[in-house]
Every structure is written in C-alpha cells, then in structure tokens.
Amino acid sequence: VLMKKKNIIIIAVVAIIALVIVAGIIFFVNGNKDSKTNLKIESAEDLSNLVNEIYKGKEESLPKLNTQIVDVSDANVVKSVTGLENGDKLKYLVVSEPMMSSQAYSLVLAQVKDKSEANNIAKMMLDNIDTRKWICVSAEKVYATNSGDVVCLVMSNEEWAKPVYESFKSFAKTVGKEYTKEEEMQDLPDELLY
C-alpha cells in the first residue's frame, strides 16, 4: 500500500511538471506572436538609427534629408509632423524631412506607449497629416502602418515614398494593417493653363 501511494505521488508530480512545461511552451509561443517584428526600440536614438537603416541603398534617389528627434511633449511640432493633436500616446518620435522645404517628403517613425493602439495611431496619422505643409508643394501619396509598437508614416511622391515604405516593411518583417492615401490634385483653372 505504501509503495502504491509513492507511485501515485511520483506519477502526479511528473504529470504536474509535464503540464507546467506544456503551459510554458504554449505561453511562450502565443506570447511571441506579436513579437515577430525585427524592431527593438529602446530610445529615440534607436528610431533615428532605424531611419538610417531604411535609407540604406536609397541615398542617391532621395533628396538631401535631415532626421530629427522630436520632443513628444511639444504638441505643435507633434501635430505638424504626425497630424496627432499631441504626443500623449507616444514614447519617442523622429522625423526625416528635406533640408529644402520646397520638396514634399516626410518619414515619421513613432514608438507608442501602448502597442495595442499602434495600428489605430497609424490610421489617425494618415487621416490627419497635412500633406500640404510645404511651400508650394504637397505629398501625392501617404503610407502608414505599424510593426509592434512602432508606427511608420511616409508621404511624398510615389517615386520616393513607395521604396522607403517598402524598406520599412521588409526591415520590420511583420506589419499591422496598411493604410494608403492619395492626395487629390486640384486642376488649375483654364485661364492658368494657357
């Protein structure tokens, strides 16, 4: 009888250990589904470095660009570069734009505080960004998405915007829902065409 109780206890302990191992594996696999992004951002400098990675091999085809870290507490600058009313939901923010303001191009990378809101923030940025913020020019195409807690918005003409956006996606490995918008170009009145 004593031997039988020992065997039952041993079997129960082994079963519990097996269940813990299986539960741990399931938790690890499910917990990492959203983590399949290639982006490990821990500072604004990391976002700035990501911009450099995105641009690799494209330097000759893009205008001369300046990448800046933006203070997320500066609501005016945040609105100008993201279209968001403020940076309350952002952890870090960088913007890369031409040194000459007459060229319509902007790449914005933002790390959000709550990863579950990242794709909604990408959509809000797309919907609210001012595509005509430059002197005499506007962005023809806007792309936005997220990878984990990093939001990407790029706007310009198709020739500049598409390769940069595709580079972000390939570097990130996985992205959330993708959003695009085309700027409606207004026709000139007939008297200005001649």
Side-chain angles (χ1 to χ4, degrees):
V1 173
L2 188 59
M3 190 67 154
K4 205 174 194 182
K5 282 186 177 181
K6 279 186 179 179
N7 285 344
I8 291 174
I9 291 173
I10 291 172
I11 290 172
V13 169
V14 169
I16 290 172
I17 291 172
L19 283 173
V20 168
I21 291 172
V22 169
I25 291 171
I26 289 171
F27 178 76
F28 179 77
V29 169
N30 286 338
N32 284 331
K33 277 186 180 172
D34 291 335
S35 301
K36 290 183 182 171
T37 181
N38 207 22
L39 309 179
K40 304 292 181 236
I41 304 300
E42 296 177 3
S43 69
E45 289 76 18
D46 289 346
L47 279 179
S48 191
N49 291 335
L50 177 56
V51 169
N52 295 336
E53 291 295 323
I54 290 169
Y55 287 157
K56 276 190 180 165
K58 294 169 195 51
E59 298 88 352
E60 296 300 316
S61 62
L62 294 170
K64 186 145 177 75
L65 300 166
N66 182 30
T67 302
Q68 294 182 320
I69 295 171
V70 175
D71 179 359
V72 296
S73 68
D74 187 337
N76 290 329
V77 177
V78 169
K79 175 127 175 99
S80 172
V81 299
T82 68
L84 302 173
E85 289 302 317
N86 57 54
D88 291 352
K89 296 182 178 188
L90 306 179
K91 210 174 190 181
Y92 306 115
L93 176 63
V94 298
V95 61
S96 181
E97 293 185 336
M99 295 185 156
M100 304 263 311
S101 64
S102 62
Q103 296 170 306
Y105 175 88
S106 184
L107 168 63
V108 177
L109 296 180
Q111 184 179 36
V112 299
K113 291 177 180 174
D114 182 354
K115 182 168 75 170
S116 68
E117 292 190 56
N119 200 256
N120 290 335
I121 291 171
K123 176 75 168 116
M124 286 173 26
M125 288 169 61
L126 177 101
D127 291 342
N128 296 305
I129 193 69
D130 180 4
T131 58
R132 297 178 181 167
K133 66 181 188 172
W134 298 277
I135 301 168
C136 301
V137 292
S138 65
E140 298 168 10
K141 196 82 174 197
V142 184
Y143 296 94
T145 191
N146 74 293
S147 181
D149 62 355
V150 176
V151 173
C152 172
L153 178 132
V154 62
M155 63 177 173
S156 187
N157 60 40
E158 183 79 10
E159 177 185 337
W160 289 343
K162 183 79 170 167
V164 170
Y165 181 68
E166 292 299 326
S167 181
F168 170 80
K169 291 188 335 183
S170 68
F171 192 82
K173 287 190 183 177
T174 60
V175 295
K177 187 170 181 184
E178 298 181 59
Y179 305 101
T180 60
K181 178 169 77 173
E182 258 182 81
E183 182 64 26
E184 294 177 21
M185 297 306 201
Q186 297 178 357
D187 292 330
L188 290 173
D190 288 341
E191 57 270 6
L192 293 177
L193 293 175
Y194 301 106

